[in-house]
Amino acid sequence: MANSRNNRRGRRKIVRTVLIYISAIIAVIFFIFPIYWLVATSLKTRAQAFSTPPLFVWEPTFRNFIDIFLKRQTEIEAITGQELELATGAETFFYNSFVVTFSSIAIATVIGVLAAYSFSRYKPAGTNTLMFFILSTRMLPAIVVAIPIYFFYRSLGLYNTYIGLILLYTMFNLPFAVWMMKSFFDEVPRDIEQAALVDGSNPVKVFYKIALPQVLVGLGATIGFLIINVWNEFLFALLLTERATRTVPVMIAGTRGEVGINWGLIAAIETLYILPALVLIFVLQRFLLRGMTFGTVRGAK
Amino acid sequence: MTRVEIRGLKKSFGPVQALKGINLEVESGALVALLGPTGAGKTTLLKCIAGVEEPDAGDILFDGQSVLGTPPWRRDVAMFFQTYALYPHMSVYDNIAYPLKERKWGREDIDKSVKAVAEKLRIAHLLDRKDPSTLSGGEMQRVALARTLVRNPRVFLLDEPISNLDAKLREEMRTEFKRLHRELKQTIIYATPDFLEAFAVAEKVAVIKDGVILQYDTPINLMRRPKNRFVATFIGSPTINIMRGIVRRQAHGWEFSTTSLKIQLGNIGASSKLSDGSEVELAIRPQDIVLEAPKNSNSFKAKILAAERLGYETIVTLSLGDVELKAVSKGMRPYRYGDEVTINIPGDRVILFDVASGEAMY
């Protein structure tokens, strides 16, 4: 009796495990497939990319990746003499994206972390009002301020400059940085910082030796969030840049082939463009895992 | 060796008044306990002395000099936090070494001190542990204690330092504190909600409740001459017995009477606070009630309701008229429910409290 019940329970456990695995695999396929398709397309020739039914076995070509960076004059250009916006010389755009993203995130993170810590610890008069005010800058749809900012930038000479884009993205990201980091700093037990004060650290040391290490997980998550914001930003990059400062998202949208859209080429650019994001996610994953056990060193109270 | 003086200290958190004017003097090199229930203001008071909370009013003096202007990192006190407040990103060793590193000690001196204190608290085997969150509650507490005791500050502030240890280790730690205090001759302020712990370690105990120090006295005086009903009931186990009744002046002294019994108090009422016919509360410690006593004027027949045999003593719950009393008797007594015993309430051991104010009337 007992044996058969054990067997039944064991079998039910196996079935459940198998079901869990199957649903996990389906979920993974669901999320991975678009990325697979993107990479696959980037390795196909134009004809292969358009074939029906879709090709799952083919001889991969790296032509698209070479074409992104090598300037080729097209036949149409040769005849008309008119320069087309081609997906060539992509390194400039990648460089622009890196410069703009890195600079604006560095500034937004430093200012945001310091502001968040001040709000969280020192609670200056009107903290709630100020925090709401900071948040309220995110409440307008970007498109509403697009035209004013365009004219504003034109007249200030910030149009088509790195500094213009960097300032704009910093401003857009600060509310996120302040709000996210404040909630992480709020979670650091005050007793830990007070213990450090009594142990002989002044407030500046308490900040970078005690408080900051506690929120590294949150900092990683915040930076990841900000990078995705800036890295993917399209609207303002389109409005406020020309060829010299153009970022990759705008360049992708502007990519035209000689005849119609060259999906292979676009897929190649996009594959390269999502690579840093993928790497970032894998780096941050470790932080996120540690985030689950974050803040467990606490007393009985 | 620092004398700590606290004068009229007040501190509020929003609408909550945590400290309502604390006055306390701790002699240089004394070990004083702050005894009070949760939320009494013990932690706030310690944090004000450490400097991590700023009082709204009043002054804190070390050796006669105000330290209110001295920030905590220069005040040179060591504090044990009730929540342990271990640095989660540092190893056990680095946690204990932190105060010394911040004081720019040499690496060898740090190493020697950390190992010595770890040895003393029996956590030497834990020093290499990377993540303090993996320690057990008792281990965390000892690590936090080691971080507090590793240096030699002007004042030690200990906020419930041994509450989470198991009974045996707690007993050892109490002795350890006494020894430490004797060796270091340091000023120690020790907060605890447990009167036994306070009595065991401290020479003087300040009973604190709702942000006010009710009585600052030696353990024996707190036991024998509590200033009010709260101090009387908070200290002692089992809790002191309290009955309500009327006092009347008789030829031979005062007499306390309820509807069912009369107790002769003798000349306890020499104090002018007692007036004939006034309503009072009479308190008598369970240890002072004599069971199976020879008959005298304060003897009563009582019925046994329950007996808890604890080995060296037996706690007996008695019914006496319309009141229930607890009494403690030495040894294991084979009392059973419903047994009748003669008890004696010594008139010179009772404490009378004013019904309205709860103040003791001596």
Side-chain angles (χ1 to χ4, degrees):
Chain A
M1 268 297 279
N3 213 355
S4 79
R5 206 185 307 145
N6 273 350
N7 272 347
R8 217 179 308 149
R9 205 178 297 159
R11 229 176 297 147
R12 216 181 300 158
K13 206 176 165 191
I14 292 172
V15 170
R16 203 190 318 156
T17 313
V18 169
L19 282 178
I20 288 172
Y21 268 93
I22 290 176
S23 25
I25 289 168
I26 291 174
V28 168
I29 290 175
F30 185 78
F31 286 107
I32 290 287
F33 186 76
I35 294 174
Y36 160 76
W37 200 245
L38 183 71
V39 176
T41 308
S42 73
L43 297 172
K44 288 174 180 173
T45 64
R46 198 179 173 123
Q48 285 166 336
F50 277 108
S51 83
T52 338
L55 279 180
F56 282 94
V57 182
W58 75 99
E59 200 186 316
T61 167
F62 289 94
R63 186 72 234 167
N64 290 321
F65 288 92
I66 297 163
D67 282 355
I68 298 171
F69 295 104
L70 290 185
K71 175 106 178 148
R72 284 181 312 153
Q73 208 184 28
T74 65
E75 286 168 36
I76 304 173
E77 240 180 48
I79 297 164
T80 59
Q82 197 183 6
E83 199 184 338
L84 282 173
E85 285 213 35
L86 281 171
T88 54
E91 64 277 6
T92 320
F93 308 110
F94 275 94
Y95 174 76
N96 291 345
S97 269
F98 271 111
V99 168
V100 169
T101 305
F102 181 81
S103 313
S104 67
I105 268 127
I107 301 172
T109 307
V110 170
I111 299 177
V113 164
L114 292 175
Y117 186 70
S118 310
F119 277 127
S120 176
R121 279 296 165 269
Y122 297 101
K123 296 189 174 59
T127 293
N128 287 340
T129 317
L130 281 171
M131 286 299 288
F132 175 77
F133 184 70
I134 289 171
L135 187 67
S136 70
T137 61
R138 296 288 317 183
M139 289 178 180
L140 278 183
I143 196 82
V144 175
V145 291
I147 304 299
I149 283 182
Y150 175 79
F151 284 115
F152 182 56
Y153 266 48
R154 274 284 191 184
S155 53
L156 279 181
L158 288 170
Y159 177 81
N160 195 21
T161 59
Y162 284 139
I163 190 82
L165 264 196
I166 291 167
L167 283 178
L168 190 79
Y169 289 153
T170 305
M171 188 195 83
F172 271 13
N173 271 329
L174 259 179
F176 273 121
V178 174
W179 270 82
M180 277 187 78
M181 288 314 295
K182 180 174 181 290
S183 68
F184 284 109
F185 279 125
D186 284 346
E187 266 181 51
V188 176
R190 293 230 50 183
D191 274 4
I192 292 182
E193 292 189 21
Q194 293 183 334
L197 286 172
V198 175
D199 281 344
S201 310
N202 61 40
V204 176
K205 276 191 184 168
V206 170
F207 168 68
Y208 72 84
K209 280 180 134 171
I210 305 295
L212 206 52
Q214 307 300 311
V215 297
L216 277 188
V217 173
L219 189 65
T222 306
I223 289 177
F225 202 47
L226 300 189
I227 287 180
I228 289 164
N229 270 353
V230 177
W231 196 243
N232 294 347
E233 208 283 329
F234 176 74
L235 177 65
F236 285 95
L238 175 71
L239 280 175
L240 301 177
T241 61
E242 279 170 15
R243 219 186 144 84
T245 56
R246 184 146 299 171
T247 58
V248 177
V250 181
M251 170 240 195
I252 293 171
T255 298
R256 278 175 278 149
E258 293 92 309
V259 187
I261 297 167
N262 189 343
W263 287 113
L265 208 59
I266 289 179
I269 303 169
E270 283 174 352
T271 302
L272 288 182
Y273 199 58
I274 64 169
L275 263 183
L278 281 180
V279 170
L280 189 85
I281 284 164
F282 277 106
V283 170
L284 291 181
Q285 193 183 35
R286 276 175 39 229
F287 281 107
L288 295 176
L289 277 178
R290 259 193 54 207
M292 288 179 183
T293 54
F294 167 63
T296 46
V297 182
R298 269 178 214 170
K301 200 173 162 188
Chain B
M1 292 287 271
T2 301
R3 183 185 144 84
V4 180
E5 241 178 292
I6 292 149
R7 289 188 192 151
L9 206 69
K10 288 186 183 164
K11 173 77 184 168
S12 297
F13 296 102
V16 184
Q17 255 190 297
L19 302 177
K20 301 173 185 164
I22 298 275
N23 291 296
L24 185 68
E25 283 181 23
V26 180
E27 289 306 322
S28 170
L31 200 172
V32 164
L34 279 179
L35 174 65
T38 326
K42 304 186 295 281
T43 302
T44 309
L45 179 56
L46 291 185
K47 283 187 173 178
C48 284
I49 300 173
V52 292
E53 296 284 2
E54 218 172 300
D56 302 330
D59 205 352
I60 299 167
L61 302 102
F62 285 7
D63 288 333
Q65 294 213 313
S66 174
V67 292
L68 281 190
T70 315
W73 57 94
R74 288 205 210 101
R75 209 174 273 195
D76 197 20
V77 301
M79 177 159 174
F80 174 91
F81 286 75
Q82 192 188 356
T83 55
Y84 314 150
L86 295 179
Y87 309 127
H89 57 296
M90 293 183 197
S91 71
V92 168
Y93 183 97
D94 288 336
N95 260 285
I96 301 173
Y98 188 80
L100 305 182
K101 281 184 187 160
E102 287 301 280
R103 285 179 170 70
K104 307 261 185 284
W105 281 35
R107 184 185 289 248
E108 274 167 36
D109 292 340
I110 291 178
D111 199 57
K112 226 189 307 165
S113 301
V114 170
K115 284 188 173 140
V117 76
E119 204 67 53
K120 205 180 278 176
L121 292 168
R122 263 158 283 166
I123 47 170
H125 60 290
L126 299 173
L127 284 177
D128 294 333
R129 289 278 274 274
K130 283 262 154 48
D131 188 351
S133 66
T134 60
L135 301 174
S136 75
E139 288 170 340
M140 282 189 204
Q141 194 152 20
R142 277 179 286 161
V143 172
L145 206 47
R147 189 179 65 191
T148 313
L149 301 179
V150 73
R151 61 205 175 88
N152 202 355
R154 297 179 76 177
V155 182
F156 280 109
L157 306 169
L158 308 173
D159 193 3
E160 303 192 17
I162 57 176
S163 55
N164 261 34
L165 303 180
D166 58 68
K168 194 170 173 304
L169 192 58
R170 199 153 65 207
E171 218 170 87
E172 288 176 32
M173 286 309 299
R174 287 205 298 233
T175 325
E176 183 65 29
F177 278 121
K178 294 219 86 162
R179 202 173 59 78
L180 197 87
H181 179 231
R182 203 168 52 235
E183 280 171 14
L184 297 173
K185 303 234 181 301
Q186 285 288 26
T187 310
I188 302 179
I189 303 177
Y190 186 115
T192 172
D194 177 2
F195 83 95
L196 280 176
E197 203 177 301
F199 283 16
V201 298
E203 295 134 13
K204 268 181 112 180
V205 177
V207 180
I208 180 169
K209 186 190 177 239
D210 296 335
V212 176
I213 289 186
L214 298 177
Q215 190 169 356
Y216 182 40
D217 222 326
T218 57
I220 188 70
N221 277 347
L222 287 172
M223 207 74 183
R224 281 287 157 228
R225 295 180 74 81
K227 273 200 182 137
N228 59 36
R229 189 172 43 204
F230 177 80
V231 175
T233 50
F234 193 68
I235 287 165
S237 168
T239 309
I240 198 164
N241 298 298
I242 294 187
M243 300 176 250
R244 195 177 271 217
I246 309 281
V247 279
R248 286 189 198 290
R249 188 185 282 281
Q250 304 287 359
H252 48 274
W254 292 84
E255 183 191 72
F256 171 88
S257 61
T258 72
T259 48
S260 55
L261 68 142
K262 286 182 162 55
I263 300 171
Q264 308 303 321
L265 302 179
N267 275 325
I268 187 174
S271 146
S272 57
K273 281 182 185 169
L274 275 184
S275 59
D276 196 25
S278 62
E279 199 181 15
V280 297
E281 280 178 326
L282 176 143
I284 175 96
R285 296 230 172 255
Q287 288 81 355
D288 290 335
I289 295 179
V290 186
L291 285 156
E292 294 177 48
K295 263 206 174 293
N296 66 21
S297 56
N298 277 342
S299 296
F300 308 94
K301 280 242 180 293
K303 214 173 87 178
I304 305 268
L305 293 179
E308 301 159 47
R309 285 183 283 272
L310 303 177
Y312 285 110
E313 55 180 31
T314 306
I315 298 173
V316 188
T317 311
L318 303 157
S319 147
L320 180 62
D322 53 357
V323 290
E324 233 178 66
L325 294 176
K326 294 238 183 209
V328 175
S329 144
K330 286 247 163 62
M332 302 264 260
R333 297 305 190 93
Y335 292 125
R336 268 184 312 192
Y337 175 80
D339 287 356
E340 259 202 5
V341 286
T342 305
I343 63 163
N344 186 303
I345 300 178
D348 56 342
R349 284 294 169 94
V350 304
I351 308 158
L352 297 179
F353 296 109
D354 184 74
V355 169
S357 68
E359 293 298 314
M361 301 190 284
Y362 293 112

